Amino acid sequence: QITLKESGPTLVKPTQTLTLTCTFSGFSLYTNGVAVGWIRQPPGKALEWLALIYWDDDKRYSPSLKSRLTITKDSSKNQVVLSMTNMDPVDTATYYCAHNIRESYWDPRYSSYYFYYYMDVWGKGTTVTVSS
Amino acid sequence: IQMTQSPSTLSASVGDTVTITCRASQSISSWLAWYQQKPGEAPKLLIYKASRLESGVPSRFSGSGSGTDFTLTISGLQPDDFATYYCQQYNDYWTFGQGTKLEIK
């Protein structure tokens, strides 16, 4: 059974750096094809994807937030860490981490496999408020 | 890639069949997922690859579409189905729609 749990501060001040940890069980980031991502949701608003890290340490970031985000992993501890710099009140949100599952597609035109990842299991989320 | 859902709010009664639409700003093939979210809870995966039902999800949920236009249909609404639904593309990075709130009429 896959489970994920987010942890970190509930309150940060403007301009500070937020560091969140996702601790998971039921899978390993040593395993080929595994990824963990972060998503946030401001109060009463839609979901926003932030970042993702693959088993091979490849990373993807939201283009709009890329300059402020860093995602890292410690596979031995079953943890993924997200850092976001220069926090602002608009960053107040519930932050989720999620296990991503891979789908493969064979394109005969190019004789190549392509891989696509979607989020199948989510943590319960952690609420972060940005306020002085 | 922008994802646009309609309607933003939908009122229906138990037993009704409802359809939620999601449109992508460019073709995403079938790389689309649907999630259900209840207040105070994390999203729950319902459908992936546009039409594949996630294990354990009731068969009254179904998805269809490809390219830019997709639908989520719930046949025979149950009380537990009143929630907010999000589509998400995973063809090129990841983008969510703005959500559709399904309310009790």
Side-chain angles (χ1 to χ4, degrees):
Chain A
Q1 180 192 5
I2 291 175
T3 64
L4 305 98
K5 185 175 183 179
E6 306 86 350
S7 60
T10 57
L11 178 66
V12 297
K13 297 183 187 305
T15 76
Q16 286 187 336
T17 295
L18 171 69
T19 299
L20 296 173
T21 300
C22 175
T23 303
F24 56 84
S25 63
F27 67 96
S28 171
L29 266 174
Y30 288 120
T31 303
N32 188 315
V34 173
V36 172
W38 286 92
I39 308 95
R40 71 177 178 179
Q41 185 173 37
K45 295 189 176 181
L47 300 161
E48 178 184 20
W49 175 79
L50 300 176
L52 182 138
I53 190 164
Y54 299 93
W55 84 99
D56 62 358
D57 210 36
D58 194 11
K59 302 162 187 176
R60 296 289 183 270
Y61 295 102
S62 166
S64 63
L65 293 167
K66 184 175 183 177
S67 63
R68 299 175 54 205
L69 295 173
T70 302
I71 189 169
T72 59
K73 64 180 175 67
D74 186 333
S75 302
S76 66
K77 293 184 178 178
N78 283 356
Q79 291 182 332
V80 171
V81 175
L82 181 74
S83 296
M84 180 179 291
T85 62
N86 194 25
M87 293 293 284
D88 184 271
V90 300
D91 297 313
T92 294
T94 297
Y95 287 76
Y96 298 98
C97 62
H99 173 268
N100 281 247
I101 193 164
R102 184 175 75 179
E103 288 195 86
S104 304
Y105 169 70
W106 170 256
D107 191 333
R109 299 173 297 173
Y110 305 108
S111 298
S112 294
Y113 273 106
Y114 294 88
F115 301 109
Y116 299 86
Y117 288 76
Y118 62 93
M119 298 138 205
D120 64 334
V121 182
W122 297 55
K124 293 185 177 182
T126 186
T127 300
V128 178
T129 300
V130 185
S131 175
S132 55
Chain B
I1 299 175
Q2 305 299 319
M3 306 300 292
T4 304
Q5 287 181 235
S6 61
S8 296
T9 306
L10 181 56
S11 296
S13 302
V14 172
D16 286 352
T17 293
V18 298
T19 297
I20 298 169
T21 298
C22 180
R23 175 164 289 176
S25 60
Q26 65 188 71
S27 178
I28 58 170
S29 185
S30 296
W31 307 115
L32 183 104
W34 289 97
Y35 298 89
Q36 176 194 66
Q37 187 179 33
K38 297 178 181 178
E41 297 184 5
K44 173 188 174 184
L45 176 66
L46 300 174
I47 302 279
Y48 63 96
K49 206 172 181 183
S51 61
R52 296 186 179 177
L53 197 66
E54 174 70 350
S55 177
V57 174
S59 59
R60 62 181 180 272
F61 291 91
S62 63
S64 66
S66 66
T68 60
D69 294 315
F70 302 86
T71 59
L72 173 70
T73 299
I74 312 172
S75 302
L77 276 171
Q78 297 299 302
D80 192 50
D81 299 337
F82 292 94
T84 299
Y85 293 84
Y86 292 94
C87 63
Q88 180 213 39
Q89 69 82 19
Y90 54 101
N91 177 74
D92 182 11
Y93 283 70
W94 296 265
T95 318
F96 292 91
Q98 81 278 17
T100 294
K101 185 176 183 180
L102 178 55
E103 299 180 329
I104 300 175
K105 185 184 288 185

